[in-house]
Amino acid sequence: MTSELSKVLSAAARGCFPPADGSVTVLPPPSPRDVGVVSFTCHAVVFADVEPSWVHDRIAPGDLAGPLSPPFLTALGERTGREANNIDLATVAEALPGPPPLELVETRDRSHPRIVRALRHRDEVRVWTTGDGGTLVIGRGVAGRWELAVEVEGAGQGRGLGRRLAHAARHLIPAGERLWAQAAPGNARSVRALLAAGFVPVGAEVLMVPIGGRG
């Protein structure tokens, strides 16, 4: 069954956002794993097992920064027994037809740190590598959406490989689907790579993870 959060995210990916009225929507978590906050323009969504009144008691009406502020995230962490992970820029792009224009080799090696992290946050994880230090990870993340992670090491850095991996990933999801990618706003290289690969910013989000499970 499609969760309420999945409906909100799917609509946002199509450019249909919640009303920009300064309000905060509280939804049940789509799974025991997925708890957090996603913020759009003048509207935030808290997805956690908490009462709406508890959230509204802690965020003043019209406080647009409140849902992603340290005081609220700290309180939400204490309430749910979790802690805030990174506050990320959330971007999305449509699937592209045909095979990826980049030579990729799928691997089942689960020892790579990027893969280990993906398995904590995603289902149906698949991993591809390139011969020059690139790793591409795709899986089902928050509310079942398709999510991307990219790692570039060694000789692959500084040559546009991150952008090409992100673009290639759009060829690896089913037709008609959309692919999400998150990046820390301060990681300018990753943000530029995603934008160049056709990803569009839709908001900011933070996941509340089990204590000690950040990263």
Side-chain angles (χ1 to χ4, degrees), residues 129-213:
T129 61
T130 67
D132 52 358
T135 301
L136 169 61
V137 183
I138 294 177
R140 293 277 197 174
V142 175
R145 69 188 182 187
W146 289 105
E147 294 181 355
L148 157 74
V150 168
E151 183 82 24
V152 178
E153 300 177 347
Q157 295 183 352
R159 300 194 296 110
L161 180 56
R163 170 186 54 78
R164 289 185 286 129
L165 284 166
H167 184 268
R170 298 176 61 189
H171 293 266
L172 297 172
I173 60 171
E177 295 281 359
R178 287 172 170 81
L179 181 63
W180 290 73
Q182 296 78 253
N187 189 346
R189 180 179 291 179
S190 291
V191 172
R192 290 197 302 266
L194 290 172
L195 297 178
F199 286 77
V200 177
V202 294
E205 65 180 44
V206 58
L207 298 182
M208 306 300 296
V209 298
I211 303 297

Coordinates of all heavy atoms in Angstrom, one line a residue, residues 129-213:
T129 N 30.3 -0.5 -10.9 CA 31.6 0.2 -10.8 C 32.2 0.5 -12.2 O 31.7 -0.1 -13.2 CB 32.7 -0.6 -10.1 OG1 32.9 -1.9 -10.8 CG2 32.2 -0.9 -8.6
T130 N 33.1 1.5 -12.3 CA 33.8 1.7 -13.5 C 35.3 1.4 -13.3 O 35.7 1.2 -12.1 CB 33.7 3.2 -13.9 OG1 34.4 4.0 -12.9 CG2 32.3 3.7 -13.9
G131 N 36.1 1.3 -14.4 CA 37.5 1.0 -14.2 C 38.3 2.1 -13.7 O 39.5 1.9 -13.5
D132 N 37.8 3.3 -13.5 CA 38.6 4.4 -13.1 C 38.2 5.0 -11.8 O 38.3 6.2 -11.6 CB 38.7 5.5 -14.2 CG 37.3 5.9 -14.7 OD1 36.3 5.3 -14.2 OD2 37.2 6.8 -15.6
G133 N 37.7 4.2 -10.9 CA 37.4 4.6 -9.6 C 36.0 5.1 -9.2 O 35.7 5.7 -8.2
G134 N 35.0 4.8 -10.1 CA 33.7 5.2 -9.9 C 32.8 4.1 -9.3 O 33.0 2.9 -9.7
T135 N 31.9 4.4 -8.4 CA 30.9 3.5 -7.8 C 29.6 4.1 -7.9 O 29.4 5.2 -7.5 CB 31.3 3.1 -6.4 OG1 32.6 2.5 -6.3 CG2 30.2 2.1 -5.8
L136 N 28.6 3.4 -8.4 CA 27.2 3.8 -8.5 C 26.3 2.9 -7.8 O 26.3 1.7 -8.0 CB 26.8 3.9 -10.0 CG 25.4 4.1 -10.4 CD1 24.9 5.4 -9.9 CD2 25.2 4.1 -11.9
V137 N 25.5 3.4 -6.9 CA 24.6 2.6 -6.1 C 23.1 3.1 -6.3 O 22.9 4.3 -6.2 CB 24.9 2.7 -4.6 CG1 24.0 1.8 -3.8 CG2 26.4 2.4 -4.4
I138 N 22.2 2.2 -6.6 CA 20.8 2.5 -6.7 C 20.0 1.6 -5.8 O 20.3 0.4 -5.8 CB 20.3 2.4 -8.2 CG1 21.0 3.5 -9.0 CG2 18.8 2.6 -8.3 CD1 20.7 3.4 -10.5
G139 N 19.0 2.1 -5.1 CA 18.2 1.2 -4.3 C 16.9 2.0 -4.0 O 16.7 3.1 -4.3
R140 N 16.0 1.2 -3.3 CA 14.8 1.8 -2.8 C 15.0 2.4 -1.4 O 15.2 1.7 -0.5 CB 13.7 0.7 -2.8 CG 13.3 0.2 -4.1 CD 12.3 1.1 -4.8 NE 11.6 0.4 -5.9 CZ 10.6 0.9 -6.6 NH1 10.1 2.1 -6.2 NH2 10.0 0.2 -7.5
G141 N 14.8 3.7 -1.3 CA 15.0 4.4 0.0 C 13.8 4.8 0.6 O 12.8 4.0 0.8
V142 N 13.7 6.1 1.1 CA 12.6 6.6 1.8 C 11.3 6.4 1.1 O 11.1 6.8 -0.1 CB 12.8 8.1 2.1 CG1 11.6 8.7 2.8 CG2 14.1 8.3 3.0
A143 N 10.3 5.8 1.8 CA 9.0 5.6 1.2 C 9.0 4.8 -0.1 O 8.1 5.0 -0.9 CB 8.2 6.9 1.1
G144 N 10.1 4.0 -0.3 CA 10.2 3.2 -1.5 C 10.6 3.9 -2.8 O 10.7 3.3 -3.9
R145 N 11.1 5.2 -2.6 CA 11.5 5.9 -3.8 C 12.9 5.3 -4.3 O 13.7 4.8 -3.5 CB 11.6 7.4 -3.6 CG 12.7 7.7 -2.6 CD 12.7 9.2 -2.2 NE 13.8 9.5 -1.3 CZ 14.0 10.7 -0.7 NH1 13.1 11.6 -0.8 NH2 15.1 10.9 0.1
W146 N 13.2 5.5 -5.6 CA 14.5 5.1 -6.1 C 15.5 6.2 -5.7 O 15.2 7.4 -5.9 CB 14.4 5.0 -7.6 CG 13.7 3.9 -8.2 CD1 12.4 3.9 -8.7 CD2 14.1 2.5 -8.2 NE1 12.1 2.6 -9.1 CE2 13.1 1.7 -8.7 CE3 15.3 1.9 -7.7 CZ2 13.2 0.3 -8.9 CZ3 15.4 0.5 -7.9 CH2 14.3 -0.3 -8.5
E147 N 16.6 5.8 -5.2 CA 17.7 6.7 -4.7 C 19.0 6.3 -5.3 O 19.3 5.2 -5.5 CB 17.7 6.7 -3.2 CG 16.5 7.3 -2.5 CD 16.6 7.3 -1.0 OE1 17.6 6.8 -0.4 OE2 15.7 7.8 -0.4
L148 N 19.8 7.3 -5.4 CA 21.2 7.2 -6.0 C 22.2 7.6 -5.1 O 22.1 8.5 -4.3 CB 21.2 8.2 -7.3 CG 22.6 8.6 -7.7 CD1 23.3 7.5 -8.4 CD2 22.5 9.8 -8.7
A149 N 23.4 6.9 -5.1 CA 24.6 7.3 -4.4 C 25.8 7.1 -5.4 O 25.8 6.1 -6.1 CB 24.8 6.5 -3.1
V150 N 26.7 8.0 -5.3 CA 27.9 8.0 -6.2 C 29.1 8.2 -5.4 O 29.2 9.0 -4.5 CB 27.8 9.1 -7.3 CG1 29.1 9.2 -8.0 CG2 26.7 8.7 -8.3
E151 N 30.2 7.4 -5.7 CA 31.5 7.6 -5.1 C 32.5 7.6 -6.2 O 32.5 6.8 -7.1 CB 31.8 6.4 -4.2 CG 33.1 6.5 -3.4 CD 33.0 7.4 -2.2 OE1 31.9 7.6 -1.7 OE2 34.0 7.9 -1.8
V152 N 33.4 8.6 -6.1 CA 34.5 8.7 -7.1 C 35.8 8.8 -6.4 O 36.0 9.6 -5.5 CB 34.4 9.9 -8.0 CG1 35.6 10.0 -9.0 CG2 33.1 9.9 -8.8
E153 N 36.7 7.9 -6.7 CA 38.0 7.8 -6.0 C 39.2 7.9 -7.0 O 39.0 7.7 -8.2 CB 38.1 6.5 -5.2 CG 37.0 6.2 -4.2 CD 37.1 4.9 -3.5 OE1 37.9 4.0 -4.0 OE2 36.5 4.7 -2.5
G154 N 40.3 8.3 -6.4 CA 41.6 8.2 -7.2 C 41.6 9.0 -8.5 O 41.2 10.2 -8.5
A155 N 42.0 8.3 -9.5 CA 42.1 9.0 -10.8 C 40.8 9.5 -11.4 O 40.8 10.3 -12.3 CB 42.8 8.0 -11.8
G156 N 39.7 9.0 -10.9 CA 38.4 9.5 -11.5 C 38.0 10.8 -11.0 O 37.1 11.5 -11.6
Q157 N 38.7 11.4 -10.0 CA 38.3 12.7 -9.4 C 38.7 13.8 -10.4 O 39.7 13.8 -11.0 CB 38.9 12.8 -8.1 CG 38.3 11.9 -7.0 CD 38.8 12.1 -5.6 OE1 39.7 12.9 -5.4 NE2 38.3 11.4 -4.6
G158 N 37.8 14.8 -10.4 CA 38.1 16.0 -11.2 C 38.0 15.9 -12.7 O 38.4 16.8 -13.4
R159 N 37.4 14.8 -13.2 CA 37.3 14.6 -14.6 C 35.8 14.4 -15.0 O 35.5 13.9 -16.1 CB 38.1 13.3 -15.0 CG 39.5 13.5 -14.7 CD 40.4 12.4 -15.4 NE 40.0 11.0 -15.0 CZ 39.3 10.2 -15.7 NH1 38.9 10.5 -16.9 NH2 39.1 9.0 -15.3
G160 N 34.9 14.8 -14.2 CA 33.5 14.7 -14.5 C 32.8 13.4 -14.4 O 31.7 13.1 -14.9
L161 N 33.5 12.4 -13.7 CA 33.0 11.1 -13.6 C 31.8 11.1 -12.7 O 30.8 10.3 -13.0 CB 34.1 10.1 -13.0 CG 33.7 8.7 -12.8 CD1 33.2 8.1 -14.2 CD2 34.8 7.9 -12.3
G162 N 31.7 11.9 -11.7 CA 30.5 11.9 -10.8 C 29.3 12.3 -11.6 O 28.2 11.7 -11.5
R163 N 29.5 13.3 -12.5 CA 28.3 13.8 -13.3 C 27.9 12.6 -14.2 O 26.7 12.4 -14.4 CB 28.7 15.0 -14.1 CG 27.7 15.4 -15.2 CD 28.3 16.5 -16.0 NE 29.6 16.3 -16.6 CZ 29.8 15.5 -17.7 NH1 28.8 14.9 -18.3 NH2 31.0 15.3 -18.2
R164 N 28.9 12.0 -14.9 CA 28.5 10.9 -15.8 C 27.9 9.7 -15.1 O 27.0 9.1 -15.7 CB 29.8 10.5 -16.6 CG 30.2 11.5 -17.6 CD 31.4 11.1 -18.4 NE 32.6 11.1 -17.6 CZ 33.5 10.0 -17.6 NH1 33.2 8.9 -18.2 NH2 34.6 10.1 -16.9
L165 N 28.3 9.4 -13.9 CA 27.7 8.3 -13.1 C 26.2 8.7 -12.8 O 25.3 7.8 -12.9 CB 28.5 8.0 -11.9 CG 29.8 7.3 -12.0 CD1 30.6 7.4 -10.7 CD2 29.5 5.8 -12.4
A166 N 26.0 9.9 -12.3 CA 24.7 10.3 -12.0 C 23.7 10.3 -13.2 O 22.6 9.9 -13.1 CB 24.7 11.7 -11.4
H167 N 24.3 10.7 -14.3 CA 23.5 10.7 -15.6 C 23.2 9.3 -16.0 O 22.1 8.9 -16.4 CB 24.3 11.5 -16.7 CG 23.5 11.6 -18.0 ND1 23.6 10.6 -19.0 CD2 22.6 12.5 -18.4 CE1 22.8 11.0 -20.0 NE2 22.2 12.1 -19.6
A168 N 24.2 8.4 -15.9 CA 24.0 7.0 -16.3 C 23.0 6.3 -15.4 O 22.2 5.5 -15.9 CB 25.3 6.2 -16.1
A169 N 22.9 6.7 -14.1 CA 21.9 6.1 -13.2 C 20.5 6.4 -13.7 O 19.6 5.5 -13.5 CB 22.1 6.7 -11.8
R170 N 20.2 7.4 -14.4 CA 18.9 7.7 -14.9 C 18.4 6.7 -16.0 O 17.2 6.6 -16.2 CB 18.8 9.1 -15.5 CG 19.1 10.2 -14.4 CD 19.2 11.6 -15.0 NE 17.9 11.9 -15.6 CZ 17.7 13.0 -16.4 NH1 18.7 13.9 -16.6 NH2 16.5 13.3 -16.9
H171 N 19.4 6.0 -16.6 CA 19.1 4.9 -17.5 C 18.8 3.6 -16.9 O 18.5 2.6 -17.5 CB 20.2 4.8 -18.5 CG 20.4 6.0 -19.4 ND1 19.9 6.1 -20.7 CD2 21.1 7.1 -19.2 CE1 20.2 7.2 -21.2 NE2 21.0 7.9 -20.4
L172 N 19.1 3.5 -15.6 CA 19.0 2.2 -14.9 C 17.8 2.0 -14.0 O 17.7 1.0 -13.3 CB 20.3 2.1 -14.0 CG 21.6 2.1 -14.8 CD1 22.8 2.1 -13.8 CD2 21.7 0.8 -15.6
I173 N 16.9 2.9 -14.0 CA 15.6 2.8 -13.3 C 14.5 2.6 -14.3 O 14.6 2.9 -15.5 CB 15.3 4.0 -12.4 CG1 15.2 5.3 -13.2 CG2 16.4 4.2 -11.3 CD1 14.7 6.5 -12.4
P174 N 13.4 2.0 -13.9 CA 12.3 1.7 -14.8 C 11.8 3.0 -15.5 O 11.7 4.0 -14.9 CB 11.2 1.1 -13.9 CG 12.0 0.5 -12.8 CD 13.1 1.5 -12.5
A175 N 11.3 2.8 -16.7 CA 10.7 3.9 -17.5 C 9.5 4.5 -16.7 O 8.7 3.8 -16.1 CB 10.2 3.4 -18.9
G176 N 9.5 5.8 -16.7 CA 8.4 6.5 -16.0 C 8.6 6.8 -14.6 O 7.8 7.5 -14.0
E177 N 9.7 6.2 -14.0 CA 10.0 6.4 -12.6 C 10.9 7.7 -12.5 O 11.4 8.2 -13.5 CB 10.8 5.2 -12.1 CG 10.0 4.0 -12.0 CD 9.0 4.0 -10.8 OE1 9.0 4.9 -10.0 OE2 8.3 3.0 -10.6
R178 N 11.1 8.1 -11.3 CA 12.0 9.2 -11.0 C 13.1 8.8 -10.0 O 12.8 8.0 -9.1 CB 11.2 10.5 -10.5 CG 10.4 11.1 -11.6 CD 9.5 12.2 -11.1 NE 9.0 13.0 -12.2 CZ 7.9 12.6 -12.9 NH1 7.3 11.4 -12.7 NH2 7.5 13.4 -13.9
L179 N 14.2 9.4 -10.1 CA 15.4 9.0 -9.3 C 15.7 10.2 -8.4 O 15.9 11.3 -8.8 CB 16.6 8.6 -10.2 CG 17.9 8.2 -9.5 CD1 17.6 6.9 -8.7 CD2 19.0 8.0 -10.5
W180 N 15.9 9.9 -7.1 CA 16.2 10.9 -6.1 C 17.7 10.8 -5.7 O 18.3 9.7 -5.8 CB 15.4 10.7 -4.8 CG 14.0 11.0 -5.0 CD1 13.0 10.3 -5.6 CD2 13.3 12.2 -4.5 NE1 11.8 10.9 -5.5 CE2 11.9 12.1 -4.8 CE3 13.7 13.3 -3.7 CZ2 11.0 13.0 -4.5 CZ3 12.8 14.2 -3.3 CH2 11.4 14.1 -3.7
A181 N 18.3 11.9 -5.5 CA 19.7 12.0 -5.0 C 19.8 13.1 -3.9 O 19.3 14.2 -4.1 CB 20.6 12.3 -6.2
Q182 N 20.5 12.8 -2.9 CA 20.7 13.7 -1.8 C 22.2 14.1 -1.7 O 23.0 13.2 -1.9 CB 20.2 13.1 -0.4 CG 18.8 12.8 -0.4 CD 18.4 11.5 -1.1 OE1 17.8 11.5 -2.2 NE2 18.8 10.4 -0.5
A183 N 22.4 15.3 -1.4 CA 23.8 15.8 -1.2 C 23.9 16.9 -0.1 O 23.0 17.7 0.0 CB 24.3 16.4 -2.5
A184 N 24.9 16.8 0.7 CA 25.1 17.9 1.6 C 25.3 19.2 0.9 O 26.1 19.3 -0.1 CB 26.4 17.6 2.5
P185 N 24.6 20.3 1.3 CA 24.8 21.6 0.5 C 26.2 22.1 0.4 O 26.6 22.7 -0.5 CB 23.9 22.5 1.4 CG 22.9 21.6 2.0 CD 23.6 20.4 2.3
G186 N 27.0 21.8 1.5 CA 28.4 22.2 1.4 C 29.3 21.4 0.5 O 30.4 21.8 0.2
N187 N 28.8 20.3 0.0 CA 29.6 19.5 -0.9 C 29.3 20.0 -2.3 O 28.6 19.4 -3.1 CB 29.2 18.0 -0.8 CG 30.1 17.1 -1.6 OD1 30.9 17.5 -2.5 ND2 30.0 15.8 -1.3
A188 N 29.9 21.1 -2.6 CA 29.6 21.8 -3.9 C 29.9 21.0 -5.1 O 29.2 21.0 -6.1 CB 30.4 23.1 -4.0
R189 N 31.0 20.1 -5.0 CA 31.3 19.3 -6.2 C 30.2 18.3 -6.5 O 29.8 18.2 -7.7 CB 32.6 18.5 -5.9 CG 33.0 17.6 -7.1 CD 34.3 16.9 -6.7 NE 35.5 17.8 -6.7 CZ 36.7 17.4 -6.4 NH1 37.0 16.2 -6.1 NH2 37.7 18.3 -6.4
S190 N 29.6 17.7 -5.5 CA 28.5 16.8 -5.7 C 27.3 17.5 -6.2 O 26.6 17.0 -7.1 CB 28.2 16.0 -4.4 OG 29.2 15.1 -4.1
V191 N 27.0 18.6 -5.6 CA 25.8 19.4 -6.0 C 25.9 19.8 -7.5 O 25.0 19.7 -8.3 CB 25.6 20.7 -5.1 CG1 24.5 21.5 -5.7 CG2 25.3 20.2 -3.7
R192 N 27.1 20.3 -7.9 CA 27.3 20.7 -9.3 C 27.1 19.5 -10.2 O 26.6 19.6 -11.3 CB 28.6 21.3 -9.5 CG 28.8 22.7 -8.8 CD 30.0 23.5 -9.4 NE 31.2 22.8 -9.2 CZ 32.0 22.9 -8.1 NH1 31.7 23.8 -7.2 NH2 33.1 22.3 -8.0
A193 N 27.7 18.3 -9.8 CA 27.6 17.1 -10.6 C 26.1 16.7 -10.8 O 25.7 16.4 -11.9 CB 28.4 16.0 -10.0
L194 N 25.3 16.8 -9.7 CA 23.9 16.4 -9.9 C 23.2 17.4 -10.8 O 22.4 16.9 -11.6 CB 23.3 16.3 -8.5 CG 23.7 15.2 -7.6 CD1 23.1 15.4 -6.2 CD2 23.3 13.8 -8.1
L195 N 23.4 18.6 -10.6 CA 22.7 19.6 -11.5 C 23.1 19.4 -12.9 O 22.2 19.5 -13.8 CB 23.1 21.0 -11.0 CG 22.6 21.4 -9.6 CD1 23.0 22.9 -9.3 CD2 21.1 21.3 -9.5
A196 N 24.4 19.2 -13.2 CA 24.8 19.0 -14.5 C 24.3 17.7 -15.1 O 24.1 17.6 -16.4 CB 26.4 18.9 -14.6
A197 N 23.9 16.7 -14.3 CA 23.4 15.4 -14.8 C 21.8 15.5 -14.9 O 21.2 14.5 -15.3 CB 23.7 14.3 -13.8
G198 N 21.3 16.7 -14.7 CA 19.8 16.9 -14.9 C 19.0 16.8 -13.7 O 17.7 16.8 -13.8
F199 N 19.5 16.7 -12.5 CA 18.7 16.6 -11.3 C 18.3 18.0 -10.9 O 19.1 19.0 -11.1 CB 19.5 16.0 -10.2 CG 19.7 14.5 -10.3 CD1 20.6 14.0 -11.2 CD2 18.9 13.6 -9.6 CE1 20.7 12.6 -11.4 CE2 19.0 12.2 -9.7 CZ 20.0 11.7 -10.6
V200 N 17.1 18.1 -10.4 CA 16.5 19.4 -10.0 C 16.2 19.4 -8.5 O 15.7 18.5 -8.0 CB 15.2 19.6 -10.8 CG1 14.5 20.9 -10.3 CG2 15.4 19.6 -12.3
P201 N 16.7 20.5 -7.8 CA 16.4 20.6 -6.4 C 14.9 20.7 -6.1 O 14.2 21.4 -6.8 CB 17.1 21.9 -6.0 CG 18.1 22.1 -7.1 CD 17.5 21.6 -8.3
V202 N 14.4 20.0 -5.1 CA 13.0 20.0 -4.7 C 12.8 20.4 -3.2 O 11.7 20.7 -2.8 CB 12.3 18.7 -5.0 CG1 12.2 18.5 -6.5 CG2 12.9 17.5 -4.3
G203 N 13.9 20.3 -2.4 CA 13.8 20.6 -1.0 C 15.0 20.2 -0.2 O 16.1 20.0 -0.8
A204 N 14.8 20.1 1.1 CA 15.9 19.7 2.0 C 15.3 18.6 2.9 O 14.1 18.7 3.2 CB 16.4 20.9 2.8
E205 N 16.1 17.7 3.4 CA 15.6 16.7 4.2 C 16.7 16.2 5.2 O 17.9 16.3 4.9 CB 15.0 15.5 3.4 CG 16.1 14.8 2.6 CD 15.4 13.6 1.8 OE1 14.4 13.8 1.2 OE2 16.0 12.5 1.8
V206 N 16.2 15.6 6.3 CA 17.1 15.0 7.2 C 16.4 13.7 7.7 O 15.2 13.6 7.9 CB 17.3 15.9 8.4 CG1 16.1 16.3 9.1 CG2 18.3 15.2 9.4
L207 N 17.2 12.6 7.8 CA 16.7 11.4 8.3 C 17.1 11.2 9.8 O 18.2 11.6 10.1 CB 17.2 10.2 7.5 CG 16.8 10.1 6.0 CD1 17.4 8.9 5.4 CD2 15.3 10.1 5.9
M208 N 16.2 10.7 10.6 CA 16.5 10.4 12.0 C 16.9 8.9 12.0 O 16.1 8.1 11.7 CB 15.3 10.7 12.8 CG 14.7 12.1 12.7 SD 15.9 13.4 13.1 CE 16.2 13.1 14.9
V209 N 18.1 8.7 12.4 CA 18.7 7.3 12.3 C 18.9 6.8 13.8 O 19.0 7.6 14.7 CB 20.0 7.3 11.5 CG1 19.7 7.7 10.1 CG2 21.0 8.2 12.2
P210 N 19.0 5.5 13.9 CA 19.3 4.9 15.2 C 20.6 5.5 15.8 O 21.5 5.9 15.0 CB 19.4 3.4 15.0 CG 18.6 3.2 13.8 CD 18.7 4.4 12.9
I211 N 20.7 5.7 17.1 CA 21.8 6.2 17.7 C 23.1 5.5 17.3 O 23.1 4.3 17.3 CB 21.7 6.2 19.3 CG1 20.4 6.9 19.7 CG2 22.9 6.8 19.9 CD1 20.4 8.4 19.4
G212 N 24.1 6.3 16.8 CA 25.3 5.6 16.3 C 25.2 5.2 14.9 O 26.2 4.7 14.3
G213 N 24.1 5.5 14.2 CA 23.9 5.0 12.8 C 24.0 6.1 11.8 O 23.6 6.0 10.7

